[in-house]
Amino acid sequence: MNIALLGYGRMGKSIETIALERNHSIVLKISNATDNFDFSNTDVAIDFSIPTAAVDNIKKALDAGVPVISGTTGWLDQYNEVSDYCHSKNGTFLYASNFSLGVNIFFEINKKLSQLMATVDGYSTEIEEIHHTKKLDAPSGTAITLAEQIIENTKYKGWTLEQPNADEIHIEAKRIPEVPGTHEVTYNSDIDSISIKHTAHSRQGFALGAVIAAEWIKDKKGIFSMKNVLNIG
């Protein structure tokens, strides 16, 4: 399979390593914002760029008839626009806030736990996420996904990085050098606390998941998520 890398930072380089190990070819690498996208002989594009470039990258791939997956976070206020654009092009698009196979299982555990906790009074909910200092957005897309799952199943109506109101989930976003990604959801009461936690040991898990998603999506049409790739949930 021939892969175009739209974004060639740390994640792009990790994806390249995994893709080559799985006998794929990298036919395009985009490091900086540019209009010179040559999608010749490209089977799938993988976008791990920056929030300000992601939408244009995705649209350019869709314009070229190339399936595109994106792991860039921080642009989701335009997600519906991109989805509509994909439909208008009869294209193929997959977004995930996190491509790690373990995190996507963690999402399912979080959803189930929130459903259980919704039936119990006296607990407050908070989320902590820790990433490397070069991560541009805060909170992480993964933390937002976790919060949205909880909001969907409980009394909470939103999330905040500030001091929360009673109907808000507090997300604490920490930036520490060389931390690939840690997410913890905690339910606190006067009597006890319940926590679930995912800790990434390296970027390899994210890169592997992205390549697996690219392999899965290659000949499909439509809009997908990692739940489709993993057949979970």
Side-chain angles (χ1 to χ4, degrees):
M1 182 171 67
N2 294 334
I3 298 174
L5 296 177
L6 310 182
Y8 194 59
R10 292 182 174 189
M11 270 303 301
K13 290 170 183 174
S14 295
I15 289 168
E16 179 181 36
T17 299
I18 296 291
L20 294 175
E21 288 174 354
R22 294 171 74 90
N23 298 315
H24 301 306
S25 298
I26 306 300
V27 295
L28 177 65
K29 302 175 192 176
I30 299 295
S31 299
N32 302 306
T34 178
D35 291 327
N36 299 319
F37 283 58
D38 181 1
F39 286 112
S40 301
N41 302 315
T42 299
D43 295 311
V44 179
I46 300 178
D47 170 69
F48 271 88
S49 56
I50 58 176
T52 53
V55 173
D56 282 344
N57 286 349
I58 295 164
K59 287 183 175 180
K60 285 172 183 173
L62 294 171
D63 286 342
V66 174
V68 56
I69 70 173
S70 178
T72 305
T73 57
W75 61 271
L76 288 188
D77 56 333
Q78 294 176 269
Y79 180 83
N80 290 337
E81 174 190 338
V82 169
S83 297
D84 291 343
Y85 196 82
C86 180
H87 284 307
S88 73
K89 295 288 182 177
N90 190 31
T92 309
F93 172 59
L94 185 153
Y95 167 78
S97 60
N98 196 310
F99 280 92
S100 162
L101 306 186
V103 163
N104 281 277
I105 293 170
F106 187 64
F107 285 152
E108 295 305 306
I109 296 169
N110 179 61
K111 184 166 63 175
K112 181 62 177 177
L113 179 57
S114 68
Q115 291 167 350
L116 293 171
M117 297 306 296
T119 66
V120 182
D121 293 328
Y123 285 87
S124 61
T125 311
E126 61 186 32
I127 297 171
E128 179 184 80
E129 61 100 337
I130 309 171
H131 281 86
H132 53 87
T133 51
K134 293 185 179 181
K135 184 168 179 59
L136 298 179
D137 56 316
S140 67
T142 301
I144 293 172
T145 298
L146 292 166
E148 287 176 343
Q149 289 180 323
I150 296 167
I151 291 164
E152 184 177 348
N153 291 300
T154 65
K155 64 182 180 181
Y156 288 103
K157 291 182 169 54
W159 58 265
T160 181
L161 291 168
E162 309 301 329
Q163 183 67 30
N165 296 320
D167 61 354
E168 292 179 320
I169 300 166
H170 179 242
I171 300 178
E172 184 170 1
K174 297 180 178 178
R175 296 294 175 262
I176 299 173
E178 303 305 319
V179 176
T182 299
H183 294 87
E184 184 170 16
V185 179
T186 302
Y187 293 84
N188 287 311
S189 77
D190 292 336
I191 354 176
D192 58 15
S193 297
I194 302 170
S195 295
I196 56 172
K197 183 177 183 179
H198 178 274
T199 303
H201 300 306
S202 74
R203 292 182 181 82
Q204 296 304 99
F206 311 128
L208 175 61
V211 174
I212 288 173
E215 293 168 347
W216 182 88
I217 206 174
K218 177 177 176 287
D219 296 315
K220 295 178 173 63
K221 291 286 186 184
I223 297 176
F224 303 99
S225 71
M226 282 300 285
K227 291 175 70 171
N228 301 117
V229 176
L230 300 175
N231 194 28
I232 57 176

